[in-house]
Amino acid sequence: MLFGRHKNKLPTAAEALPGRGEPEFGVPDRHTVLGNPLTGPYPEGLEVADFGMGCFWGAERKFWQTDGVWTTLVGYQGGHTPHPTYDEVCSGMTGHAEAVRVVFDPAKVSYEQLLRVFWEAHDPTQGFRQGNDVGTQYRSALYTHSPAQQTAAEASRDAYQAVLADAGHGEITTAVLPAADRPFYPAEAYHQQYLDRNVDGYCGIGGTGVSCPVGIARTDG
């Protein structure tokens, strides 16, 4: 994840690579750790949430290790280029962030608890980077799937900003945006559950050490 022609400015829709109408590759049928299908349709009662927090290899592992998560898959989201490849995303000319799609059972883990994993596992104040990983693809982002998720995400951001400021950290740069008009494109098969298949693989994410006040961030929506 350290290689590629990094960019520090998001392209406009007119500047972005054109992409393609269909994906160039498929994804595995099942999760190597959880054993469940990677793509939908998912069983009734499960919910979907999308998180961008830097290198998606380490980010995905954080979520598959969380009780109540049914499956995870990594991909590209938030940009303009349809069905991009990894090389295209690394060029900085798609506008996409590396993202993790998390499918979870809300009877076992709440969206607010997943937000706590998100905030504590990376530094949301770094803009177009995460640690040594530099470029727009490594930005922090939350792509929400319902008004309730949007409300909870915004509340958690505001609550976490307060405790980060008290600890001497800067402003959160995380985008909180509806997923409806920001399609999620699954990444190539070799990226899926990468750190399960490559136990000594690179993981570029790391938190601030500041705990997220989940109870403050929780909503009843």
Side-chain angles (χ1 to χ4, degrees):
M1 296 288 175
L2 293 173
F3 305 102
R5 185 163 59 88
H6 297 302
K7 298 287 186 178
N8 60 10
K9 179 180 179 295
L10 287 169
T12 66
E15 294 169 337
L17 296 173
R20 51 199 56 81
E22 297 290 337
E24 285 196 345
F25 47 82
V27 297
D29 290 335
R30 292 190 175 270
H31 199 285
T32 62
V33 178
L34 301 175
N36 294 319
L38 294 188
T39 58
Y42 301 115
E44 186 176 354
L46 300 184
E47 295 183 12
V48 175
D50 297 329
F51 303 91
M53 46 196 288
C55 171
F56 53 18
W57 293 343
E60 184 186 26
R61 182 171 61 184
K62 288 289 184 181
F63 287 109
W64 85 53
Q65 291 175 338
T66 301
D67 290 342
V69 169
W70 192 80
T71 199
T72 61
L73 70 158
V74 297
Y76 314 115
Q77 193 169 15
H80 305 292
T81 302
H83 302 290
T85 67
Y86 179 64
D87 287 343
E88 290 172 342
V89 172
C90 286
S91 77
M93 294 306 296
T94 68
H96 288 297
E98 294 191 15
V100 182
R101 173 151 288 181
V102 178
V103 182
F104 64 101
D105 184 347
K108 297 179 179 178
V109 63
S110 68
Y111 181 61
E112 288 83 1
Q113 289 172 306
L114 296 179
L115 286 169
R116 181 173 186 172
V117 174
F118 168 79
W119 292 119
E120 293 184 356
H122 78 302
D123 184 344
T125 70
Q126 294 191 328
F128 294 149
R129 63 174 295 181
Q130 197 62 211
N132 292 328
D133 292 330
V134 180
T136 58
Q137 77 196 76
Y138 301 113
R139 67 189 185 273
S140 177
L142 289 165
Y143 300 108
T144 61
H145 286 259
S146 67
Q149 282 193 6
Q150 184 76 17
T151 298
E154 291 172 351
S156 71
R157 177 199 58 201
D158 296 345
Y160 199 44
Q161 180 65 76
V163 295
L164 283 177
D166 287 344
H169 294 274
E171 292 293 316
I172 287 175
T173 61
T174 307
V176 183
L177 301 166
D181 53 354
R182 293 165 180 85
F184 178 95
Y185 299 103
E188 294 85 339
Y190 70 91
H191 289 302
Q192 306 298 334
Q193 296 88 66
Y194 181 87
L195 292 183
D196 177 53
R197 294 177 290 100
N198 300 271
V199 294
D200 295 321
Y202 168 78
C203 174
I205 66 169
T208 62
V210 178
S211 296
C212 177
V214 170
I216 295 174
R218 187 172 182 87
T219 68
D220 296 325

